[in-house]
Amino acid sequence: MSAMIPWEAILEARATLAGVIHQTPVLQSRGLNALAGADLWFKAENFQVTGSFKVRGAFNHISRLHSRPEIHTVVTASSGNHGQAVAFSAQRFGLRAHIVVPEGASPAKVQAAAAYGAQVEYYGTTSRERLARARALAETPGFAYVPPYDDDLVMAGQGTLGAEILEAVPDVDTVVVPIGGGGLIAGIASAVKARRPTVEVVGVEPAGAAGAYMSRQAGRRVELPVGVSIADGLTTVVPGERTFPIIQEAVDRLLTVTDAAIRDTMWLLITRLKILVEPSGAAAAAAVLTPDQPFRGRRVAVVISGGNVDPERLAELAVARHA
Ligand SMILES: Cc1ncc(COP(=O)(O)O)c(C=O)c1O
């Protein structure tokens, strides 16, 4: 039996999200096409409500909590973007939000979650630590846990992005997607393979946090000791229990990119597309714009997954680039 998220669940999520999220633009640049030797379409989720695609899954999950009227607070663990998305969605449904973030989380992301009225708690440094903390808190009566990726409603929400890509670029032959815990790619791959099975789905991880790549090599979920990358949304140390079988079934190829390539790509996206993208959001583009990439001659949709970058971090990146 297929592990994929059913197309009907993705359609239901689309209906739930209608009027709440933006239909984000798909951007093109002749210069970048020439650089890649391919036709590229950049799906710009940096322009999404809350600054990343995460609102799709979080809102879809939280929308179903009305069936549990005892719930008054949602809790989650997040490096930032999912936290922001949960905080936004909770506010829309009149619920409180408690967000567990890693020590050293991006101040821009933390401030944004707090601005939506969430309580933010710093805890540990690895995804495993903060997930355990959030799950423990969720045992409190009246609390409900909103998983960042390993959940069918979250994946169905992220899958709506795949449906939008197929509509915006009907003759696409490849879709390139960043991977953290794997919820985004699991949702997108489910949508794409349901409607257009011949379209290739490619996942991209930072070289310092390639949990899905290592797991595929091993044929089972492998947990890395640490995940190290400037792409803070992609440093998850192990793919999800639910997301990994979908990745195995529906993702055709897994690639890794270096932090240097991500940094260079952020500047290319600023100068060529005039868009501000966070490191995690630039990883898929880095895989396509790097020398020796396998996409020449193809028609490629590239997911730009988020744009929440700290101004100070941006200045550091500029300095590092010229060092
Ligand atoms: C900007 C951005 N892109 C991609 C991802 C990866 O998403 P997933 O964990 O669903 O693979 C994240 C996760 O936080 C993110 O913040």
Side-chain angles (χ1 to χ4, degrees):
M1 215 188 88
S2 170
M4 285 195 276
I5 303 300
W7 176 244
E8 295 67 36
I10 294 168
L11 286 183
E12 270 178 47
R14 268 196 112 171
T16 300
L17 292 168
V20 177
I21 64 164
H22 300 315
Q23 173 91 34
T24 51
V26 175
L27 307 174
Q28 286 204 277
S29 150
R30 281 186 201 199
L32 293 182
N33 284 354
L35 193 66
D39 283 328
L40 306 178
W41 286 267
F42 295 91
K43 177 67 171 166
E45 285 286 292
N46 53 315
F47 293 131
Q48 189 49 270
V49 174
T50 73
S52 86
F53 73 94
K54 283 282 184 180
V55 67
R56 296 171 182 267
F59 193 92
N60 193 42
H61 182 103
I62 291 171
S63 75
R64 308 301 168 94
L65 290 175
H66 61 73
S67 63
R68 296 169 62 195
E70 75 282 8
I71 299 300
H72 53 70
T73 301
V74 289
V75 54
T76 198
S78 168
S79 64
N81 282 334
H82 175 65
Q84 233 169 285
V86 168
F88 165 86
S89 305
Q91 194 177 53
R92 292 288 290 247
F93 287 103
L95 299 168
R96 287 199 285 273
H98 185 113
I99 317 291
V100 185
V101 300
E103 314 277 357
S106 149
K109 292 176 180 177
V110 168
Q111 280 159 20
Y116 289 121
Q119 181 168 354
V120 178
E121 177 186 354
Y122 290 88
Y123 193 89
T125 51
T126 68
S127 55
R128 172 174 275 268
E129 285 170 302
R130 60 184 181 274
L131 282 170
R133 169 72 182 154
R135 287 217 183 87
L137 274 171
E139 297 297 315
T140 316
F143 279 52
Y145 178 61
V146 186
Y149 47 83
D150 226 5
D151 173 78
D152 285 21
L153 289 169
V154 169
M155 289 187 275
Q158 322 306 30
T160 61
L161 189 42
E164 285 178 31
I165 288 172
L166 294 179
E167 282 168 12
V169 194
D171 52 358
V172 68
D173 59 36
T174 309
V175 180
V176 187
V177 186
I179 303 182
L184 175 60
I185 198 164
I188 290 178
S190 296
V192 167
K193 296 294 180 180
R195 307 312 288 171
R196 220 72 60 72
T198 56
V199 170
E200 198 185 7
V201 179
V202 179
V204 180
E205 294 176 293
Y213 182 87
M214 300 299 282
S215 298
R216 175 164 287 187
Q217 297 284 99
R220 63 181 168 81
R221 291 167 63 234
V222 169
E223 181 168 337
L224 307 172
V226 285
V228 182
S229 172
I230 57 167
D232 58 352
L234 309 182
T235 53
T236 315
V237 290
V238 59
E241 271 172 43
R242 276 287 291 130
T243 62
F244 185 60
I246 300 179
I247 291 172
Q248 287 296 71
E249 183 178 341
V251 176
D252 300 283
R253 191 198 280 251
L254 296 173
L255 300 174
T256 60
V257 289
T258 63
D259 279 4
I262 291 176
R263 219 178 259 134
D264 288 349
T265 301
M266 287 172 68
W267 285 102
L268 269 178
L269 296 174
I270 289 172
T271 53
R272 298 301 183 95
L273 287 182
K274 327 295 176 198
I275 61 172
L276 182 56
V277 177
E278 63 182 279
S280 304
V288 171
L289 295 169
T290 205
D292 300 327
Q293 40 79 5
F295 301 103
R296 292 200 167 271
R298 309 207 58 147
R299 303 171 69 76
V300 187
V302 182
V303 175
I304 300 291
S305 52
N308 292 322
V309 57
D310 271 319
E312 300 75 32
R313 199 66 211 274
L314 196 62
E316 279 168 31
L317 288 171
V319 172
R321 191 167 173 271
H322 295 294

